[in-house]
Amino acid sequence: MRAFRWFLILSVALISAVTPEMASAAGGLTILDSRGEQHFETMPKRVVALNWAMAEHLVDLEVPLLGVANPNGYNEWVRVPALPGGIMDLGKRDAPNLEQLLMLKPDLILLAGDQGPYASRFEQIAPVLHFDLFREDHNNAAKARQVFSALGAFFGRSELAERKLAEMDQRIATQKTEIVAAYNGTPPPVTIVRFTDEKRVVIYGENSMATAALDGLGLETGYPVPNSRWGLVFKPVTALGSIDNGLVLHIEPFSKKDLLFGTDLWGEMPFVKSGNFHAMPSLWTYGGALSIGRAADSITTILLGASGK
């Protein structure tokens, strides 16, 4: 019912909003999105992103970005790369502010994931690109890299895109060597989690960006989680009690930490007793290609610090 109301509002708002300049045109540039080949006469210059992973991609590619859905949330949960100053708040990711969007007169709207059904409606405002970044039947990390490279080529930034990917890969390879040396060839397992509240936790596993970082660093998890669309599983906090080896890293922010970390239950967790529980800075684990490197940076800093070397 909520989705129907949203579509109805959008349809009404668009009755007099479409202008000839907003129509997508064939020729010039071509890029493959989730719906097939998309054609543009010229490179878009007024770009907005209604998905945070797509916003990450554009900022990392140094593509000017006019508007983002919920930039305040982005600044809390994603943080890096930082959004440019003066960016317009386009409302919620699942219910954008149509007035603001129309006022910006974008020539490209970037969508991803579950926003796919909105693509045809938004095309009444401007051309749309939609990407399926997270799916159970593909490698999410590989897909993120593919989309990053495709956007780099589309915006005339192929060299920058490939250089940044290569630099990330080299940095992770170096970090892997440092970790192995710090732990005399046998680094500990590392489990990465995010708390939803004081009773529930997300544990990252196969097909997650967090695990892509662990894989690159040659690390195993202390809590195996099978492949899934998002690469995670929701569990009660008590499930963490089974992790009796290695480090547990939780991703900030966690607003209810005082309701959990001071409890007797938490104090009895094996990794808490051993001093192997640490916080990672805010990181969007549903993010762009370079978020893998940012996760690896945080993991490496914690592990090298914990090794005492």
Side-chain angles (χ1 to χ4, degrees), residues 190-211:
V190 176
T191 304
I192 299 179
V193 307
R194 187 191 297 272
F195 295 98
T196 59
D197 55 35
E198 73 276 19
K199 297 180 180 180
R200 294 170 295 177
V201 63
V202 170
I203 307 176
Y204 293 98
E206 290 298 320
N207 215 18
S208 72
M209 306 301 264
T211 297

Side-chain angles (χ1 to χ4, degrees), residues 105-126:
K105 297 182 179 178
D107 53 15
L108 177 61
I109 300 171
L110 285 170
L111 307 175
D114 293 339
Q115 295 173 330
Y118 304 158
S120 61
R121 297 283 181 165
F122 279 125
E123 282 179 328
Q124 299 176 68
I125 300 176

Side-chain angles (χ1 to χ4, degrees), residues 19 22 31 50 61 97 104-105 122 130 138 168 171 184 206 218 227 235 245 249 293:
T19 68
M22 293 180 184
I31 185 171
L50 302 183
L61 288 169
N97 185 317
L104 273 182
K105 297 182 179 178
F122 279 125
H130 172 269
H138 72 208
M168 178 182 71
R171 191 170 72 252
N184 299 315
E206 290 298 320
N227 177 73
K235 291 287 185 178
N245 186 24
L249 313 183

